Amino acid sequence: MPSGKNPIWFLTQNTNKFREASSILVPFNVRLRRLNRAKVELQDPSPESIARFALVSALKNQTRPILVEDSGLFIESLHGFPGPYSSFVYDTIGLEGILDVLRRERTRKAYFQSTVAFGSQSIKPRLFTGIVTGRISKTIVGKTGFGYDPIFIPDGSTKTFGETSLSFKNVKSHRARAFQRFARWFVTSSAR
Ligand code: IMP
């Protein structure tokens, strides 16, 4: 059973995100249930605004406590692109397309951001953000994870997230940082 009086429902159609988030929350004894529906996506450069809007929209027809996450890859030399368009860009030009665009760029610095929004009819929306900085690799390496993991090398590592285990990624990924922040607040709050 999920911890506390109320289960938390993670609104996501992304199985990988759900798996990562559930595993990050295990040490906090916070368990998620999945609400497998599309979130309403605001067109906005800010993950915080996108996550808040998706949460508020979901709460219009849900009485249960809801959590949504917005995440993306922000590449410095491309002024933050693909950012809020990360999902679309992955589905269209893909990893090869990103590597191609970066071929002539001097810096390959990038970061992932995850913003978690949590709330219910009685708990006003709260946001928790996590970032992991790193760089884009020159080639696609590794098969673990999802999305841009095979081209993202976190600072302090020589391997892409696509070459490492879920437990490695979950130590310091953007998602780990955002969900840990959420969990630290949640376990001491009256929302539990
Ligand atoms: P959204 O948060 O559902 O809008 O999706 C953001 C997109 O960013 C995902 O579909 C992935 O392509 C990418 N993304 C987000 N987090 C990660 C991650 O942890 N690893 C790799 N790609 C990610």
Side-chain angles (χ1 to χ4, degrees), residues 12 14 17 20 39 41 50 69-73 83-88 90-91 112-114 145-150 152 161 169 173-175:
T12 182
N14 185 323
K17 277 189 181 186
E20 286 187 12
K39 65 180 198 270
E41 290 258 3
I50 296 170
E69 188 224 37
D70 190 74
S71 53
L73 175 69
Y85 310 108
S86 293
S87 193
F88 176 74
Y90 179 80
D91 291 340
F112 273 124
Q113 177 167 337
S114 159
F146 70 102
Y148 298 94
D149 281 345
F152 184 83
F161 273 152
K169 185 177 176 189
S173 77
H174 51 313
R175 187 158 295 104

Side-chain angles (χ1 to χ4, degrees), residues 2-181:
S3 67
K5 287 179 284 184
N6 300 316
I8 297 171
W9 292 85
F10 184 9
L11 179 75
T12 182
Q13 293 188 306
N14 185 323
T15 309
N16 290 294
K17 277 189 181 186
F18 184 75
R19 197 161 65 99
E20 286 187 12
S22 302
S23 144
I24 293 159
L25 293 180
V26 167
F28 297 92
N29 197 25
V30 174
R31 290 191 45 198
L32 292 178
R33 288 197 189 174
R34 183 167 169 202
L35 193 55
N36 189 4
R37 299 195 192 139
K39 65 180 198 270
V40 180
E41 290 258 3
L42 178 71
Q43 289 294 307
D44 193 277
S46 143
E48 287 85 357
S49 304
I50 296 170
R52 182 188 290 275
F53 187 83
L55 173 67
V56 171
S57 303
L59 288 174
K60 285 188 181 140
N61 46 33
Q62 292 289 335
T63 52
R64 34 200 182 181
I66 303 283
L67 185 150
V68 300
E69 188 224 37
D70 190 74
S71 53
L73 175 69
F74 296 76
I75 300 175
E76 189 178 292
S77 63
L78 307 181
H79 309 283
F81 181 85
Y85 310 108
S86 293
S87 193
F88 176 74
V89 169
Y90 179 80
D91 291 340
T92 52
I93 64 170
L95 303 182
E96 295 281 7
I98 291 287
L99 295 185
D100 220 32
V101 172
L102 285 182
R103 236 172 339 132
R104 289 206 190 85
E105 297 296 339
R106 284 192 176 180
T107 167
R108 306 181 74 85
K109 283 187 194 166
Y111 67 90
F112 273 124
Q113 177 167 337
S114 159
T115 296
V116 166
F118 173 77
S120 72
Q121 301 288 348
S122 55
I123 306 159
K124 66 177 187 326
R126 294 194 70 115
L127 300 185
F128 305 87
T129 288
I131 282 175
V132 58
T133 55
R135 65 185 192 279
I136 304 298
S137 58
K138 296 231 163 101
T139 56
I140 299 169
V141 198
K143 287 190 170 24
T144 60
F146 70 102
Y148 298 94
D149 281 345
I151 61 166
F152 184 83
I153 304 172
D155 285 342
S157 178
T158 53
K159 293 182 171 170
T160 68
F161 273 152
E163 292 178 274
T164 54
S165 63
L166 179 63
S167 53
F168 176 88
K169 185 177 176 189
N170 275 352
V171 170
K172 60 174 189 175
S173 77
H174 51 313
R175 187 158 295 104
R177 287 174 172 154
F179 276 84
Q180 284 163 359
R181 283 189 178 128

